[in-house]
Amino acid sequence: LRFHLHRRHDEAVISVTFNNPDTDWDHTTTDSCLVLLHRFFSWLIGQRLELSQVSISGDAPIMKEEYQRLFRTRILVDQPINALHFKTRYL
């Protein structure tokens, strides 16, 4: 499991990847990591980290409404990476 932070213009992107993607065949670990990272970063800065979007590789999640409730932002599916996107000012 690897985490990678990079910047694109005024946006920061933290991605979650597996050396072997088959390890997380049902996406449960990746989804959990994204939720935990978002909550942890919000706690670190003392406010809710406002996300500009969440990228999910693969098909749309079964409970898309739950993703909306958790992240309160645009959820993009069939993306090349699993990632949280937010403004660099939070860094």
Short mmCIF file of all heavy atoms in Angstrom, two decimals, residues 22-83:
data_model
loop_
_atom_site.label_atom_id
_atom_site.label_comp_id
_atom_site.label_asym_id
_atom_site.label_seq_id
_atom_site.Cartn_x
_atom_site.Cartn_y
_atom_site.Cartn_z
N ASP A 22 -4.89 -6.54 -7.18
CA ASP A 22 -5.78 -7.66 -6.87
C ASP A 22 -5.94 -7.87 -5.37
O ASP A 22 -6.89 -8.52 -4.93
CB ASP A 22 -5.28 -8.94 -7.52
CG ASP A 22 -5.35 -8.88 -9.04
OD1 ASP A 22 -6.17 -8.08 -9.56
OD2 ASP A 22 -4.58 -9.60 -9.69
N THR A 23 -5.02 -7.31 -4.59
CA THR A 23 -5.10 -7.43 -3.13
C THR A 23 -6.38 -6.78 -2.61
O THR A 23 -6.98 -7.25 -1.65
CB THR A 23 -3.88 -6.74 -2.47
OG1 THR A 23 -2.70 -7.32 -3.01
CG2 THR A 23 -3.90 -6.88 -0.98
N ASP A 24 -6.80 -5.70 -3.25
CA ASP A 24 -8.00 -4.98 -2.83
C ASP A 24 -9.09 -5.15 -3.88
O ASP A 24 -9.66 -4.19 -4.39
CB ASP A 24 -7.67 -3.50 -2.62
CG ASP A 24 -8.78 -2.73 -1.93
OD1 ASP A 24 -9.52 -3.33 -1.13
OD2 ASP A 24 -8.90 -1.52 -2.21
N TRP A 25 -9.42 -6.37 -4.19
CA TRP A 25 -10.33 -6.71 -5.27
C TRP A 25 -11.71 -6.08 -5.12
O TRP A 25 -12.37 -5.76 -6.08
CB TRP A 25 -10.44 -8.22 -5.43
CG TRP A 25 -10.95 -8.89 -4.20
CD1 TRP A 25 -10.19 -9.35 -3.16
CD2 TRP A 25 -12.30 -9.17 -3.87
NE1 TRP A 25 -11.00 -9.88 -2.18
CE2 TRP A 25 -12.30 -9.78 -2.59
CE3 TRP A 25 -13.52 -8.94 -4.49
CZ2 TRP A 25 -13.46 -10.18 -1.94
CZ3 TRP A 25 -14.68 -9.34 -3.85
CH2 TRP A 25 -14.64 -9.96 -2.59
N ASP A 26 -12.17 -5.86 -3.87
CA ASP A 26 -13.50 -5.30 -3.67
C ASP A 26 -13.47 -3.81 -3.31
O ASP A 26 -14.49 -3.22 -3.00
CB ASP A 26 -14.27 -6.08 -2.62
CG ASP A 26 -13.64 -6.01 -1.24
OD1 ASP A 26 -12.51 -5.48 -1.11
OD2 ASP A 26 -14.27 -6.49 -0.29
N HIS A 27 -12.27 -3.22 -3.32
CA HIS A 27 -12.07 -1.79 -3.11
C HIS A 27 -12.28 -1.35 -1.66
O HIS A 27 -12.24 -0.17 -1.34
CB HIS A 27 -13.01 -1.00 -4.04
CG HIS A 27 -12.33 0.15 -4.69
ND1 HIS A 27 -12.38 1.42 -4.18
CD2 HIS A 27 -11.60 0.23 -5.82
CE1 HIS A 27 -11.72 2.24 -4.97
NE2 HIS A 27 -11.22 1.53 -5.97
N THR A 28 -12.52 -2.28 -0.75
CA THR A 28 -12.82 -1.95 0.64
C THR A 28 -11.66 -1.23 1.33
O THR A 28 -11.86 -0.22 2.00
CB THR A 28 -13.18 -3.23 1.42
OG1 THR A 28 -14.28 -3.85 0.78
CG2 THR A 28 -13.53 -2.91 2.85
N THR A 29 -10.46 -1.73 1.17
CA THR A 29 -9.30 -1.13 1.83
C THR A 29 -9.03 0.27 1.27
O THR A 29 -8.78 1.21 2.03
CB THR A 29 -8.05 -2.02 1.69
OG1 THR A 29 -8.36 -3.31 2.20
CG2 THR A 29 -6.88 -1.43 2.43
N THR A 30 -9.10 0.42 -0.03
CA THR A 30 -8.89 1.73 -0.63
C THR A 30 -9.92 2.73 -0.15
O THR A 30 -9.58 3.84 0.26
CB THR A 30 -8.94 1.64 -2.17
OG1 THR A 30 -7.93 0.73 -2.61
CG2 THR A 30 -8.73 2.98 -2.81
N ASP A 31 -11.18 2.35 -0.16
CA ASP A 31 -12.24 3.24 0.29
C ASP A 31 -12.04 3.64 1.75
O ASP A 31 -12.18 4.81 2.11
CB ASP A 31 -13.61 2.58 0.13
CG ASP A 31 -13.97 2.33 -1.32
OD1 ASP A 31 -13.28 2.86 -2.21
OD2 ASP A 31 -14.94 1.61 -1.56
N SER A 32 -11.68 2.67 2.57
CA SER A 32 -11.44 2.95 4.00
C SER A 32 -10.27 3.91 4.17
O SER A 32 -10.33 4.83 5.00
CB SER A 32 -11.16 1.65 4.76
OG SER A 32 -12.28 0.81 4.71
N CYS A 33 -9.21 3.71 3.41
CA CYS A 33 -8.05 4.60 3.49
C CYS A 33 -8.42 6.03 3.10
O CYS A 33 -8.01 6.99 3.77
CB CYS A 33 -6.91 4.11 2.59
SG CYS A 33 -6.03 2.70 3.24
N LEU A 34 -9.20 6.18 2.05
CA LEU A 34 -9.60 7.52 1.63
C LEU A 34 -10.43 8.22 2.71
O LEU A 34 -10.21 9.39 3.02
CB LEU A 34 -10.38 7.46 0.31
CG LEU A 34 -9.57 7.07 -0.93
CD1 LEU A 34 -10.50 6.86 -2.13
CD2 LEU A 34 -8.50 8.09 -1.25
N VAL A 35 -11.35 7.49 3.30
CA VAL A 35 -12.17 8.07 4.37
C VAL A 35 -11.30 8.42 5.57
O VAL A 35 -11.40 9.53 6.12
CB VAL A 35 -13.30 7.10 4.79
CG1 VAL A 35 -14.00 7.59 6.04
CG2 VAL A 35 -14.30 6.95 3.65
N LEU A 36 -10.43 7.51 5.99
CA LEU A 36 -9.57 7.77 7.15
C LEU A 36 -8.61 8.92 6.92
O LEU A 36 -8.39 9.75 7.81
CB LEU A 36 -8.81 6.51 7.54
CG LEU A 36 -9.66 5.40 8.15
CD1 LEU A 36 -8.86 4.11 8.28
CD2 LEU A 36 -10.22 5.82 9.49
N LEU A 37 -8.03 8.99 5.72
CA LEU A 37 -7.13 10.10 5.41
C LEU A 37 -7.87 11.43 5.47
O LEU A 37 -7.38 12.41 6.04
CB LEU A 37 -6.50 9.93 4.03
CG LEU A 37 -5.42 8.88 3.89
CD1 LEU A 37 -5.05 8.69 2.43
CD2 LEU A 37 -4.20 9.26 4.70
N HIS A 38 -9.06 11.47 4.90
CA HIS A 38 -9.85 12.71 4.91
C HIS A 38 -10.15 13.13 6.35
O HIS A 38 -9.98 14.30 6.71
CB HIS A 38 -11.13 12.53 4.11
CG HIS A 38 -11.97 13.75 4.06
ND1 HIS A 38 -13.26 13.77 4.49
CD2 HIS A 38 -11.67 15.02 3.66
CE1 HIS A 38 -13.75 14.99 4.34
NE2 HIS A 38 -12.80 15.77 3.84
N ARG A 39 -10.58 12.20 7.17
CA ARG A 39 -10.90 12.52 8.57
C ARG A 39 -9.64 12.94 9.34
O ARG A 39 -9.67 13.88 10.13
CB ARG A 39 -11.56 11.33 9.27
CG ARG A 39 -12.85 10.86 8.65
CD ARG A 39 -13.91 11.93 8.77
NE ARG A 39 -15.05 11.57 7.97
CZ ARG A 39 -16.29 11.54 8.40
NH1 ARG A 39 -16.56 11.87 9.64
NH2 ARG A 39 -17.26 11.22 7.59
N PHE A 40 -8.55 12.24 9.12
CA PHE A 40 -7.30 12.55 9.83
C PHE A 40 -6.79 13.94 9.44
O PHE A 40 -6.43 14.74 10.29
CB PHE A 40 -6.24 11.49 9.54
CG PHE A 40 -4.92 11.75 10.22
CD1 PHE A 40 -4.83 11.74 11.60
CD2 PHE A 40 -3.79 12.00 9.47
CE1 PHE A 40 -3.61 12.00 12.23
CE2 PHE A 40 -2.58 12.25 10.09
CZ PHE A 40 -2.49 12.24 11.48
N PHE A 41 -6.78 14.24 8.14
CA PHE A 41 -6.32 15.55 7.70
C PHE A 41 -7.23 16.66 8.23
O PHE A 41 -6.75 17.73 8.59
CB PHE A 41 -6.24 15.62 6.17
CG PHE A 41 -5.21 14.71 5.57
CD1 PHE A 41 -5.35 14.27 4.27
CD2 PHE A 41 -4.09 14.30 6.28
CE1 PHE A 41 -4.40 13.43 3.69
CE2 PHE A 41 -3.14 13.47 5.72
CZ PHE A 41 -3.29 13.03 4.42
N SER A 42 -8.53 16.40 8.29
CA SER A 42 -9.46 17.39 8.86
C SER A 42 -9.13 17.63 10.32
O SER A 42 -9.12 18.78 10.79
CB SER A 42 -10.90 16.90 8.72
OG SER A 42 -11.27 16.81 7.35
N TRP A 43 -8.84 16.58 11.04
CA TRP A 43 -8.48 16.71 12.46
C TRP A 43 -7.17 17.49 12.60
O TRP A 43 -7.06 18.38 13.46
CB TRP A 43 -8.34 15.32 13.08
CG TRP A 43 -7.86 15.35 14.49
CD1 TRP A 43 -8.57 15.65 15.60
CD2 TRP A 43 -6.52 15.09 14.94
NE1 TRP A 43 -7.77 15.58 16.72
CE2 TRP A 43 -6.51 15.25 16.33
CE3 TRP A 43 -5.34 14.74 14.28
CZ2 TRP A 43 -5.36 15.05 17.08
CZ3 TRP A 43 -4.21 14.55 15.04
CH2 TRP A 43 -4.22 14.71 16.42
N LEU A 44 -6.20 17.22 11.75
CA LEU A 44 -4.91 17.91 11.83
C LEU A 44 -5.04 19.43 11.65
O LEU A 44 -4.34 20.19 12.31
CB LEU A 44 -3.95 17.38 10.76
CG LEU A 44 -3.22 16.08 11.06
CD1 LEU A 44 -2.38 15.67 9.84
CD2 LEU A 44 -2.36 16.18 12.28
N ILE A 45 -5.92 19.84 10.74
CA ILE A 45 -6.04 21.27 10.47
C ILE A 45 -7.13 21.94 11.31
O ILE A 45 -7.33 23.15 11.23
CB ILE A 45 -6.27 21.56 8.96
CG1 ILE A 45 -7.60 20.98 8.47
CG2 ILE A 45 -5.10 21.05 8.14
CD1 ILE A 45 -7.96 21.38 7.05
N GLY A 46 -7.83 21.17 12.13
CA GLY A 46 -8.83 21.73 13.03
C GLY A 46 -10.11 22.17 12.35
O GLY A 46 -10.87 22.95 12.91
N GLN A 47 -10.36 21.68 11.16
CA GLN A 47 -11.60 21.97 10.43
C GLN A 47 -11.78 20.91 9.36
O GLN A 47 -10.85 20.16 9.05
CB GLN A 47 -11.55 23.35 9.77
CG GLN A 47 -10.50 23.47 8.68
CD GLN A 47 -10.41 24.88 8.10
OE1 GLN A 47 -10.62 25.85 8.80
NE2 GLN A 47 -10.10 24.97 6.82
N ARG A 48 -12.98 20.86 8.82
CA ARG A 48 -13.23 19.88 7.76
C ARG A 48 -12.43 20.26 6.51
O ARG A 48 -12.50 21.38 6.03
CB ARG A 48 -14.72 19.87 7.42
CG ARG A 48 -15.08 18.79 6.44
CD ARG A 48 -16.57 18.79 6.16
NE ARG A 48 -16.86 17.78 5.18
CZ ARG A 48 -16.60 17.90 3.88
NH1 ARG A 48 -16.08 19.00 3.41
NH2 ARG A 48 -16.88 16.92 3.04
N LEU A 49 -11.64 19.32 6.01
CA LEU A 49 -10.88 19.52 4.77
C LEU A 49 -11.87 19.49 3.62
O LEU A 49 -12.50 18.46 3.36
CB LEU A 49 -9.83 18.43 4.60
CG LEU A 49 -9.05 18.41 3.28
CD1 LEU A 49 -8.22 19.69 3.14
CD2 LEU A 49 -8.18 17.18 3.19
N GLU A 50 -12.03 20.61 2.95
CA GLU A 50 -12.96 20.69 1.83
C GLU A 50 -12.30 20.09 0.59
O GLU A 50 -11.28 20.58 0.13
CB GLU A 50 -13.33 22.14 1.56
CG GLU A 50 -14.38 22.30 0.51
CD GLU A 50 -14.75 23.76 0.29
OE1 GLU A 50 -14.57 24.58 1.20
OE2 GLU A 50 -15.20 24.05 -0.83
N LEU A 51 -12.91 19.04 0.09
CA LEU A 51 -12.38 18.35 -1.08
C LEU A 51 -12.98 18.95 -2.35
O LEU A 51 -14.16 19.32 -2.38
CB LEU A 51 -12.71 16.87 -1.01
CG LEU A 51 -12.14 16.11 0.19
CD1 LEU A 51 -12.74 14.71 0.26
CD2 LEU A 51 -10.63 16.07 0.13
N SER A 52 -12.18 19.02 -3.40
CA SER A 52 -12.71 19.48 -4.69
C SER A 52 -13.28 18.30 -5.48
O SER A 52 -14.18 18.47 -6.28
CB SER A 52 -11.63 20.19 -5.50
OG SER A 52 -10.49 19.40 -5.65
N GLN A 53 -12.74 17.10 -5.22
CA GLN A 53 -13.29 15.88 -5.81
C GLN A 53 -12.61 14.67 -5.20
O GLN A 53 -11.56 14.78 -4.58
CB GLN A 53 -13.15 15.86 -7.32
CG GLN A 53 -11.74 15.67 -7.81
CD GLN A 53 -11.63 15.77 -9.32
OE1 GLN A 53 -12.30 16.56 -9.95
NE2 GLN A 53 -10.79 14.94 -9.90
N VAL A 54 -13.22 13.51 -5.42
CA VAL A 54 -12.64 12.22 -5.04
C VAL A 54 -12.63 11.38 -6.31
O VAL A 54 -13.64 11.27 -7.01
CB VAL A 54 -13.46 11.52 -3.94
CG1 VAL A 54 -12.94 10.13 -3.66
CG2 VAL A 54 -13.46 12.35 -2.66
N SER A 55 -11.48 10.79 -6.62
CA SER A 55 -11.32 9.92 -7.78
C SER A 55 -11.34 8.47 -7.32
O SER A 55 -10.64 8.11 -6.38
CB SER A 55 -9.99 10.19 -8.49
OG SER A 55 -9.93 11.52 -8.92
N ILE A 56 -12.14 7.67 -8.01
CA ILE A 56 -12.25 6.25 -7.69
C ILE A 56 -11.95 5.47 -8.97
O ILE A 56 -12.56 5.73 -10.02
CB ILE A 56 -13.68 5.90 -7.22
CG1 ILE A 56 -14.10 6.74 -6.01
CG2 ILE A 56 -13.82 4.40 -6.93
CD1 ILE A 56 -13.40 6.42 -4.73
N SER A 57 -11.04 4.52 -8.89
CA SER A 57 -10.79 3.65 -10.04
C SER A 57 -11.88 2.58 -10.06
O SER A 57 -12.43 2.21 -9.04
CB SER A 57 -9.40 3.02 -9.96
OG SER A 57 -9.31 2.16 -8.86
N GLY A 58 -12.18 2.12 -11.22
CA GLY A 58 -13.19 1.07 -11.33
C GLY A 58 -14.60 1.62 -11.47
O GLY A 58 -14.81 2.81 -11.70
N ASP A 59 -15.55 0.72 -11.31
CA ASP A 59 -16.96 1.05 -11.49
C ASP A 59 -17.49 1.94 -10.37
O ASP A 59 -16.86 2.08 -9.31
CB ASP A 59 -17.80 -0.23 -11.52
CG ASP A 59 -17.45 -1.11 -12.71
OD1 ASP A 59 -17.04 -0.55 -13.75
OD2 ASP A 59 -17.59 -2.33 -12.59
N ALA A 60 -18.67 2.49 -10.61
CA ALA A 60 -19.33 3.31 -9.60
C ALA A 60 -19.62 2.45 -8.36
O ALA A 60 -20.02 1.30 -8.49
CB ALA A 60 -20.63 3.87 -10.15
N PRO A 61 -19.40 3.04 -7.19
CA PRO A 61 -19.69 2.28 -5.97
C PRO A 61 -21.19 1.99 -5.85
O PRO A 61 -22.02 2.76 -6.34
CB PRO A 61 -19.23 3.22 -4.85
CG PRO A 61 -19.11 4.56 -5.47
CD PRO A 61 -18.93 4.37 -6.94
N ILE A 62 -21.50 0.88 -5.22
CA ILE A 62 -22.90 0.48 -5.05
C ILE A 62 -23.65 1.54 -4.25
O ILE A 62 -24.77 1.89 -4.57
CB ILE A 62 -22.98 -0.90 -4.37
CG1 ILE A 62 -22.38 -1.96 -5.28
CG2 ILE A 62 -24.41 -1.24 -4.01
CD1 ILE A 62 -22.20 -3.31 -4.63
N MET A 63 -23.00 2.04 -3.22
CA MET A 63 -23.64 3.02 -2.33
C MET A 63 -23.11 4.42 -2.62
O MET A 63 -22.52 5.05 -1.77
CB MET A 63 -23.39 2.63 -0.87
CG MET A 63 -23.84 1.23 -0.51
SD MET A 63 -25.61 1.04 -0.62
CE MET A 63 -26.08 1.77 0.92
N LYS A 64 -23.34 4.92 -3.82
CA LYS A 64 -22.81 6.23 -4.20
C LYS A 64 -23.33 7.33 -3.27
O LYS A 64 -22.62 8.29 -2.98
CB LYS A 64 -23.15 6.55 -5.65
CG LYS A 64 -22.39 7.75 -6.15
CD LYS A 64 -22.42 7.90 -7.63
CE LYS A 64 -21.52 9.06 -8.03
NZ LYS A 64 -21.45 9.25 -9.45
N GLU A 65 -24.54 7.20 -2.77
CA GLU A 65 -25.09 8.18 -1.83
C GLU A 65 -24.25 8.25 -0.56
O GLU A 65 -24.07 9.30 0.03
CB GLU A 65 -26.54 7.86 -1.47
CG GLU A 65 -27.51 7.88 -2.63
CD GLU A 65 -27.49 6.59 -3.44
OE1 GLU A 65 -27.14 5.51 -2.90
OE2 GLU A 65 -27.80 6.66 -4.64
N GLU A 66 -23.74 7.11 -0.15
CA GLU A 66 -22.89 7.06 1.05
C GLU A 66 -21.57 7.79 0.79
O GLU A 66 -21.06 8.50 1.66
CB GLU A 66 -22.63 5.61 1.45
CG GLU A 66 -21.86 5.44 2.74
CD GLU A 66 -22.62 5.87 3.97
OE1 GLU A 66 -23.84 6.09 3.91
OE2 GLU A 66 -21.98 6.01 5.03
N TYR A 67 -21.00 7.65 -0.37
CA TYR A 67 -19.78 8.38 -0.73
C TYR A 67 -20.05 9.88 -0.70
O TYR A 67 -19.25 10.66 -0.21
CB TYR A 67 -19.31 7.98 -2.13
CG TYR A 67 -18.54 6.70 -2.18
CD1 TYR A 67 -19.12 5.50 -1.83
CD2 TYR A 67 -17.22 6.68 -2.60
CE1 TYR A 67 -18.42 4.32 -1.90
CE2 TYR A 67 -16.51 5.51 -2.68
CZ TYR A 67 -17.12 4.33 -2.33
OH TYR A 67 -16.42 3.16 -2.39
N GLN A 68 -21.19 10.29 -1.24
CA GLN A 68 -21.55 11.70 -1.23
C GLN A 68 -21.67 12.21 0.21
O GLN A 68 -21.22 13.30 0.52
CB GLN A 68 -22.88 11.93 -1.97
CG GLN A 68 -22.79 11.78 -3.46
CD GLN A 68 -21.92 12.86 -4.09
OE1 GLN A 68 -21.85 13.98 -3.64
NE2 GLN A 68 -21.26 12.49 -5.17
N ARG A 69 -22.28 11.42 1.07
CA ARG A 69 -22.44 11.80 2.48
C ARG A 69 -21.10 11.92 3.18
O ARG A 69 -20.84 12.85 3.93
CB ARG A 69 -23.33 10.81 3.21
CG ARG A 69 -23.71 11.25 4.62
CD ARG A 69 -24.51 10.19 5.34
NE ARG A 69 -23.73 9.02 5.67
CZ ARG A 69 -22.82 8.94 6.65
NH1 ARG A 69 -22.55 9.99 7.38
NH2 ARG A 69 -22.17 7.83 6.89
N LEU A 70 -20.20 11.00 2.90
CA LEU A 70 -18.90 10.99 3.56
C LEU A 70 -17.99 12.11 3.08
O LEU A 70 -17.33 12.77 3.89
CB LEU A 70 -18.19 9.64 3.32
CG LEU A 70 -18.76 8.44 4.04
CD1 LEU A 70 -18.14 7.16 3.48
CD2 LEU A 70 -18.51 8.55 5.53
N PHE A 71 -17.94 12.33 1.78
CA PHE A 71 -16.97 13.26 1.23
C PHE A 71 -17.55 14.64 0.88
O PHE A 71 -16.81 15.61 0.76
CB PHE A 71 -16.31 12.66 -0.01
CG PHE A 71 -15.49 11.44 0.28
CD1 PHE A 71 -15.86 10.20 -0.21
CD2 PHE A 71 -14.35 11.52 1.06
CE1 PHE A 71 -15.09 9.07 0.05
CE2 PHE A 71 -13.58 10.40 1.33
CZ PHE A 71 -13.96 9.17 0.83
N ARG A 72 -18.86 14.71 0.67
CA ARG A 72 -19.55 15.97 0.34
C ARG A 72 -18.89 16.71 -0.83
O ARG A 72 -18.62 17.91 -0.76
CB ARG A 72 -19.60 16.89 1.55
CG ARG A 72 -20.35 16.31 2.71
CD ARG A 72 -20.42 17.32 3.82
NE ARG A 72 -20.48 16.63 5.08
CZ ARG A 72 -20.27 17.21 6.24
NH1 ARG A 72 -19.97 18.49 6.29
NH2 ARG A 72 -20.36 16.53 7.35
N THR A 73 -18.60 15.98 -1.87
CA THR A 73 -17.99 16.57 -3.06
C THR A 73 -18.30 15.70 -4.27
O THR A 73 -18.94 14.64 -4.14
CB THR A 73 -16.46 16.73 -2.89
OG1 THR A 73 -15.95 17.56 -3.91
CG2 THR A 73 -15.75 15.39 -2.88
N ARG A 74 -17.80 16.10 -5.39
CA ARG A 74 -17.97 15.35 -6.64
C ARG A 74 -17.16 14.05 -6.57
O ARG A 74 -16.00 14.06 -6.19
CB ARG A 74 -17.49 16.24 -7.78
CG ARG A 74 -17.52 15.63 -9.13
CD ARG A 74 -17.15 16.64 -10.17
NE ARG A 74 -15.89 17.30 -9.81
CZ ARG A 74 -15.18 18.03 -10.64
NH1 ARG A 74 -15.59 18.23 -11.86
NH2 ARG A 74 -14.05 18.58 -10.26
N ILE A 75 -17.81 12.95 -6.96
CA ILE A 75 -17.16 11.64 -6.99
C ILE A 75 -17.01 11.25 -8.45
O ILE A 75 -18.00 11.14 -9.17
CB ILE A 75 -18.01 10.57 -6.26
CG1 ILE A 75 -18.43 11.03 -4.86
CG2 ILE A 75 -17.27 9.23 -6.23
CD1 ILE A 75 -17.34 11.19 -3.87
N LEU A 76 -15.76 11.05 -8.89
CA LEU A 76 -15.49 10.62 -10.26
C LEU A 76 -15.10 9.15 -10.25
O LEU A 76 -14.22 8.75 -9.48
CB LEU A 76 -14.36 11.45 -10.87
CG LEU A 76 -14.60 12.96 -10.94
CD1 LEU A 76 -13.37 13.66 -11.49
CD2 LEU A 76 -15.81 13.26 -11.79
N VAL A 77 -15.72 8.36 -11.10
CA VAL A 77 -15.43 6.92 -11.17
C VAL A 77 -14.71 6.61 -12.47
O VAL A 77 -14.61 7.45 -13.35
CB VAL A 77 -16.72 6.07 -11.02
CG1 VAL A 77 -17.33 6.29 -9.64
CG2 VAL A 77 -17.71 6.39 -12.10
N ASP A 78 -14.20 5.38 -12.55
CA ASP A 78 -13.42 4.93 -13.72
C ASP A 78 -12.21 5.83 -13.96
O ASP A 78 -11.87 6.13 -15.11
CB ASP A 78 -14.30 4.86 -14.97
CG ASP A 78 -15.33 3.76 -14.89
OD1 ASP A 78 -15.02 2.71 -14.29
OD2 ASP A 78 -16.44 3.95 -15.40
N GLN A 79 -11.58 6.26 -12.90
CA GLN A 79 -10.41 7.13 -12.97
C GLN A 79 -9.13 6.28 -12.91
O GLN A 79 -9.14 5.16 -12.42
CB GLN A 79 -10.42 8.14 -11.82
CG GLN A 79 -11.63 9.05 -11.84
CD GLN A 79 -11.69 9.87 -13.11
OE1 GLN A 79 -10.78 10.63 -13.40
NE2 GLN A 79 -12.76 9.69 -13.87
N PRO A 80 -8.00 6.83 -13.34
CA PRO A 80 -6.75 6.06 -13.30
C PRO A 80 -6.20 5.88 -11.89
O PRO A 80 -5.40 4.98 -11.66
CB PRO A 80 -5.79 6.89 -14.15
CG PRO A 80 -6.38 8.25 -14.23
CD PRO A 80 -7.86 8.11 -14.04
N ILE A 81 -6.64 6.73 -10.94
CA ILE A 81 -6.14 6.62 -9.56
C ILE A 81 -7.29 6.75 -8.58
O ILE A 81 -8.36 7.25 -8.90
CB ILE A 81 -5.07 7.70 -9.24
CG1 ILE A 81 -5.67 9.10 -9.39
CG2 ILE A 81 -3.82 7.51 -10.06
CD1 ILE A 81 -4.77 10.21 -8.88
N ASN A 82 -7.02 6.30 -7.34
CA ASN A 82 -7.91 6.53 -6.21
C ASN A 82 -7.29 7.68 -5.43
O ASN A 82 -6.15 7.56 -4.96
CB ASN A 82 -7.97 5.29 -5.32
CG ASN A 82 -8.54 4.11 -6.07
OD1 ASN A 82 -9.70 4.10 -6.43
ND2 ASN A 82 -7.69 3.13 -6.35
N ALA A 83 -8.02 8.79 -5.30
CA ALA A 83 -7.37 9.96 -4.71
C ALA A 83 -8.36 10.96 -4.14
O ALA A 83 -9.53 11.01 -4.54
CB ALA A 83 -6.53 10.66 -5.78
#
